[in-house]
């Protein structure tokens, strides 16, 4: 039993802890496939009983909080817990994180920077087995910094003419847009893979467009080629996803948000389709039919800076797939979606209303709090603002709203086992001894 844990611990927002496991997301879970999130935080900020998240069933999770208060840190904790599940369960799950900030490659290293805090939680620093993928054209830049990565690319054929117009910010009804759509759709109709050279050749074969439009289209596609994200064949989904595996897709080198959204849309759509097929095979197996081949694992898809991909007031290239398929329907075929943002007010409102678990770190912006308040469930006894006030300003503290059990919890997220790459840099780094002394004096403060 952890320090401060007791059977009569009273959670901050009412109710009494009975001594049995507190499992969020699935009250029927009897102790298998659990992700350790942290411990209850009492009103006096002492540490209480352990809190777990169910991993046996799929979930839609929203993590939010202002910068520096634990949003990405919490995502890292969940990734660690999924990777540390027993082999029989872990082998049926896979984790993929879309890393927009370039901070999750550090998970292969143990968290030696928080030794004192980890010790107070009886946790041992441990690096995580991960595979990091980056756009093919950026591989050498990472290797020069001694970061081991693998190439990732999307087949050019995956994008329609209309999507290319949105990526390149070209009006579809303009002469250039009409040429682009006509060219791409003509190639797609042939049903074969094609390269950028094939697109450019097709452009100049077009007899209905002027030379200026053709020249502009060629320049656009040569620029796209230099991004190193698109190729003729593209990376197979099986290279990214397999049972028991944690994969980081680092898209931080892509400055164009439309390009990032296009990549997420294609990946999420493929994951959803694979899980639909796997679910059909599972049902057939339950009926006694024999199925061939290895079953595609249940997937946990993590997306940082989610407001880029599912913004409010407009649609990105990823909005339709993430909201209509992954968020609204993804749990049925076995696809979990974990979205994180520091700007809830910029997030599509359906994300809040459709998430079955909200993990909210410190927020101070009225707009952000109001965005969450709008979808506040009836079982919350008071306003979100009131709960956040009780929670205080401690880094790593989180308000968790569990729609399954219709309950609200104040939790202190556990420290990371692996190295957290999302902390803010300092011009004056403290000596190692000072770090350990600080951690020992303030063991529950997120660093």
């Amino acid at each position: 039993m952890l320090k401060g844990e007791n059977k009569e611990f009273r959670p901050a927002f009412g109710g009494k802890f009975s001594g049995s496991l507190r499992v969020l997301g699935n009250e029927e879970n009897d102790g298998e496939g659990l992700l350790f999130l942290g411990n209850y935080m009492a009103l006096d900020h002492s540490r209480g009983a352990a809190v777990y998240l169910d991993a046996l069933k799929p979930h839609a999770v929203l993590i939010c909080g202002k910068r520096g208060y634990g949003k990405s840190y919490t995502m890292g904790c969940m990734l660690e817990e999924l990777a540390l599940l027993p082999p029989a369960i872990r082998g049926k799950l896979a984790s993929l994180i879309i890393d927009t900030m370039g901070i999750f490659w550090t998970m292969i290293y143990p968290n030696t920077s928080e030794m004192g805090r980890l010790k107070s939680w009886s946790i041992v620093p441990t690096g995580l087995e991960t595979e990091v993928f980056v756009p093919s054209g950026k591989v050498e830049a990472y290797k020069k910094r001694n970061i081991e990565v693998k190439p990732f690319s999307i087949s050019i054929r995956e994008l329609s003419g209309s999507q290319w117009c949105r990526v390149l910010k070209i009006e579809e009804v303009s002469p250039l847009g009409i040429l682009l759509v006509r060219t791409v759709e003509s190639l797609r109709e042939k049903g074969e893979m094609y390269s950028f050279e094939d697109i450019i050749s097709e452009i100049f074969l077009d007899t209905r467009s002027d030379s200026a439009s053709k020249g502009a289209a060629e320049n656009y596609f040569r620029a796209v080629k230099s991004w190193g994200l698109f190729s003729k064949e593209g990376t197979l989904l099986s290279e990214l996803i397999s049972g028991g595996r944690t994969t980081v897709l680092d898209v931080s080198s892509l400055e164009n948000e439309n390009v990032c959204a296009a990549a997420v849309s294609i990946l999420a759509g493929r994951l959803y389709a694979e899980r639909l097929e796997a679910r059909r095979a599972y049902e057939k197996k339950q009926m006694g039919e024999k199925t061939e081949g290895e079953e595609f694992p249940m997937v946990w898809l993590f997306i940082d800076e989610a407001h880029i991909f599912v913004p409010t007031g407009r649609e990105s290239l990823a909005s339709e797939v993430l909201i209509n398929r992954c968020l609204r329907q993804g749990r049925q075929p076995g696809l979990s979606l974990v979205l994180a943002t520091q700007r809830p007010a910029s997030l599509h409102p359906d994300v809040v209303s459709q998430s079955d678990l909200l993990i909210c770190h410190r927020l101070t912006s009225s707009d952000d709090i109001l965005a969450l308040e709008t979808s506040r469930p009836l079982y919350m006894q008071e306003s979100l603002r009131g709960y956040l006030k009780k929670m205080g300003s401690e880094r790593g503290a989180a308000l968790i709203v569990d729609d399954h059990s219709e309950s609200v919890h104040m939790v202190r997220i556990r420290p990371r086992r692996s190295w957290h790459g999302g902390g803010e840099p300092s011009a004056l780094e403290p000596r190692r001894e000072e770090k350990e002394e600080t951690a020992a004096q303030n063991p529950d403060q997120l660093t």
Side-chain angles (χ1 to χ4, degrees):
M1 187 174 288
L2 293 172
K3 181 181 178 182
E5 182 177 338
N6 63 82
K7 292 186 177 182
E8 295 302 316
F9 175 77
R10 188 174 294 278
F13 301 138
K16 189 175 181 181
F17 186 74
S18 66
S20 60
L21 290 173
R22 164 57 76 179
V23 180
L24 305 179
N26 182 8
E27 291 185 304
E28 297 175 2
N29 189 310
D30 59 2
E32 291 187 299
L34 301 180
L35 312 181
F36 174 45
L37 294 182
N39 288 69
Y40 276 116
M41 187 169 72
L43 290 175
D44 63 358
H45 285 218
S46 60
R47 194 191 307 174
V51 178
Y52 298 84
L53 172 62
D54 164 76
L56 298 181
K57 293 185 177 181
H59 301 282
V61 184
L62 172 60
I63 305 174
C64 56
K66 65 185 296 184
R67 186 178 65 183
Y69 279 86
K71 169 180 58 69
S72 298
Y73 197 97
T74 298
M75 291 183 81
C77 288
M78 293 176 68
L79 285 163
E80 290 173 2
E81 290 295 318
L82 285 164
L84 294 171
L85 286 170
I89 298 174
R90 186 175 69 242
K92 297 179 181 179
L93 304 173
S95 302
L96 171 64
I97 180 163
I98 308 297
D99 183 4
T100 57
M101 303 297 291
I103 61 175
F104 286 95
W105 63 270
T106 60
M107 291 195 302
I108 62 172
Y109 301 100
N111 183 13
T112 54
S113 67
E114 295 185 279
M115 293 290 288
R117 186 164 177 253
L118 284 163
K119 186 178 181 180
S120 75
W121 283 71
S122 302
I123 297 176
V124 178
T126 310
L128 208 64
E129 277 192 35
T130 61
E131 292 188 2
V132 181
F133 286 78
V134 300
S136 299
K138 308 295 181 181
V139 170
E140 289 305 315
Y142 278 78
K143 288 188 175 180
K144 285 179 181 178
R145 288 177 276 170
N146 293 320
I147 302 175
E148 192 62 34
V149 295
K150 293 184 176 183
F152 167 79
S153 65
I154 294 172
S155 173
I156 301 167
R157 190 177 179 277
E158 295 272 10
L159 266 69
S160 67
S162 176
Q163 288 174 317
W164 276 117
C165 284
R166 292 188 65 182
V167 166
L168 298 172
K169 299 180 181 178
I170 296 171
E171 288 288 337
E172 285 187 53
V173 295
S174 68
L176 177 56
I178 292 169
L179 169 61
L180 193 151
V181 172
R182 186 163 59 230
T183 299
V184 170
E185 294 307 321
S186 174
L187 288 169
R188 294 182 89 204
E189 285 174 5
K190 296 176 182 178
E192 300 175 355
M193 299 293 185
Y194 50 86
S195 64
F196 284 118
E197 286 70 25
D198 295 328
I199 294 178
I200 293 169
S201 295
E202 189 78 11
I203 285 170
F204 282 99
L205 290 174
D206 191 288
T207 58
R208 291 180 285 175
S209 296
D210 59 88
S211 58
S213 295
K214 291 179 181 180
E218 178 187 10
N219 289 340
Y220 270 112
F221 279 111
R222 291 202 184 282
V224 171
K225 184 179 179 180
S226 70
W227 296 343
L229 176 63
F230 298 96
S231 67
K232 187 173 183 178
E233 287 81 16
T235 303
L236 296 175
L237 196 59
S238 58
E239 295 181 44
L240 294 172
I241 303 294
S242 60
R245 187 171 166 193
T246 303
T247 304
V248 176
L249 178 55
D250 186 342
V251 295
S252 60
S253 61
L254 300 174
E255 298 178 2
N256 188 321
E257 289 186 359
N258 286 338
V259 177
C260 288
V264 169
S265 174
I266 290 164
L267 266 177
R270 287 161 65 183
L271 288 171
Y272 180 79
E274 286 288 345
R275 276 308 308 167
L276 275 180
E277 188 58 38
R279 182 59 194 256
R280 293 189 191 103
Y282 171 80
E283 295 295 346
K284 287 182 178 179
K285 189 176 180 181
Q286 293 295 102
M287 296 176 199
E289 292 187 30
K290 291 184 178 180
T291 56
E292 297 180 358
E294 187 175 343
E295 184 179 324
F296 192 80
M298 294 173 66
V299 178
W300 284 68
L301 176 60
F302 294 77
I303 303 178
D304 205 359
E305 302 298 320
H307 54 272
I308 295 173
F309 307 103
V310 279
T312 185
R314 63 182 178 86
E315 281 196 3
S316 78
L317 283 166
S319 293
E320 194 278 331
V321 172
L322 290 179
I323 293 175
N324 293 332
R325 279 183 262 178
C326 298
L327 194 60
R328 291 177 179 162
Q329 304 173 36
R331 278 168 281 185
Q332 195 279 333
L335 176 61
S336 293
L337 183 63
V338 182
L339 300 174
T341 183
Q342 57 181 310
R343 296 164 56 189
S346 300
L347 203 62
H348 195 289
D350 282 7
V351 175
V352 181
S353 61
Q354 295 292 325
S355 297
D356 59 275
L357 201 73
L358 169 67
I359 303 177
C360 185
H361 292 283
R362 180 167 170 78
L363 286 173
T364 54
S365 166
S366 295
D367 288 344
D368 289 332
I369 295 172
L370 181 61
L372 298 178
E373 283 275 17
T374 303
S375 299
R376 180 169 67 94
L378 295 174
Y379 54 80
M380 290 181 68
Q381 297 176 0
E382 59 182 281
S383 68
L384 180 71
R385 195 181 301 270
Y387 283 121
L388 291 175
K389 186 177 180 180
K390 289 181 180 180
M391 189 173 73
S393 60
E394 180 181 325
R395 293 173 186 265
L399 177 74
I400 301 182
V401 182
D402 177 19
D403 217 34
H404 283 272
S405 60
E406 299 189 352
S407 56
V408 183
H409 314 270
M410 189 163 71
V411 176
R412 180 180 287 115
I413 303 298
R414 71 157 177 83
R416 288 271 301 270
R417 298 173 184 270
S418 62
W419 191 281
H420 175 52
E424 295 181 350
S426 171
L428 181 63
E429 287 292 332
R431 294 191 304 274
R432 186 181 184 85
E433 307 86 67
E434 291 175 345
K435 283 184 177 182
E436 293 184 353
E437 183 181 350
T438 301
Q441 293 173 352
N442 303 283
D444 290 322
Q445 279 290 315
L446 175 66
T447 59

